[in-house]
Amino acid sequence: MLLFIAATAVLSGCNPAAAPAAGRRPVTALTLSQVTRRGSINFVRGFELGRQIAAERQLPCLVFFTADWCTYCKRMEATTFNDAAVVQSTSQFVCVLVDVDEEPEVCQRLQVSGYPTVELISPSGTSLGRLTGWQSAPGFVHSLRAALHRYAWLEKGAAVR
């Protein structure tokens, strides 16, 4: 239980685990090895695990495709991912890190070939936007807000109609 609490507390910058509603399955517990920090944002390691958590929490995913050898990825981590407005905006997403060298099949399947790439995906798998290359903090925040508006319109708005 302490490991679960520690792992969910580490997810600042991403939406922390909430207690499941009555009749709902419990939220997947994360171990510390399944979470990594880039800048001031914590990411779930691995595409499938991240998508599973996003579906459980009914939150969109922010998927950061990166590589250890990518200069612009490192620049984005050091600048954009340390901006307070960016960190606040990412709290409305499940942040997922995909390392191209560890998950090349995911990059191939999603046709990601330039790094960094950020794919914003709804819990049901609908693309909410894609950003390729280094992003400034103001531009990144604007893109995250636009994705949240698309998510609200596509998925939540459709349920109201």
Side-chain angles (χ1 to χ4, degrees), residues 8-24:
T8 57
V10 154
L11 284 175
S12 62
C14 293
N15 201 314
R24 294 190 62 164

Side-chain angles (χ1 to χ4, degrees), residues 4 9 24 37 40 57 66 77 87-88 116 131 143 146 152 158:
F4 173 73
R24 294 190 62 164
R37 188 170 188 88
S40 296
R57 297 180 188 179
T66 186
E77 292 169 12
V87 174
Q88 190 283 324
L131 307 166
S143 296

Side-chain angles (χ1 to χ4, degrees), residues 24-25 47-48 50-63 92-94 109-110 119-129 147 150-159:
R24 294 190 62 164
R25 69 179 194 217
F47 186 74
E48 295 306 326
R51 295 274 298 121
Q52 174 186 338
I53 291 169
E56 288 173 358
R57 297 180 188 179
Q58 284 300 291
L59 290 170
C61 272
L62 180 159
V63 185
Q92 298 175 68
F93 293 83
V94 172
R109 185 174 77 227
L110 297 176
E119 182 80 29
L120 304 162
I121 306 171
S122 75
S124 67
T126 303
S127 177
L128 301 171
R150 278 192 292 281
Y151 169 57
W153 184 79
L154 287 172
E155 300 206 4
K156 294 183 177 185

Side-chain angles (χ1 to χ4, degrees), residues 35-114:
V35 178
T36 186
R37 188 170 188 88
R38 300 295 167 103
S40 296
I41 302 171
N42 291 301
F43 291 84
V44 175
R45 289 178 165 274
F47 186 74
E48 295 306 326
L49 178 61
R51 295 274 298 121
Q52 174 186 338
I53 291 169
E56 288 173 358
R57 297 180 188 179
Q58 284 300 291
L59 290 170
C61 272
L62 180 159
V63 185
F64 179 52
F65 293 90
T66 186
D68 286 337
W69 44 262
C70 173
T71 303
Y72 287 101
C73 299
K74 300 295 180 201
R75 180 178 173 204
M76 194 158 162
E77 292 169 12
T79 59
T80 307
F81 289 174
N82 278 312
D83 182 85
V86 169
V87 174
Q88 190 283 324
S89 293
T90 63
S91 69
Q92 298 175 68
F93 293 83
V94 172
C95 301
V96 180
L97 184 128
V98 174
D99 185 309
V100 63
D101 295 319
E102 294 176 14
E103 297 185 82
E105 70 287 348
V106 172
C107 298
Q108 184 177 21
R109 185 174 77 227
L110 297 176
Q111 299 176 347
V112 175
S113 59

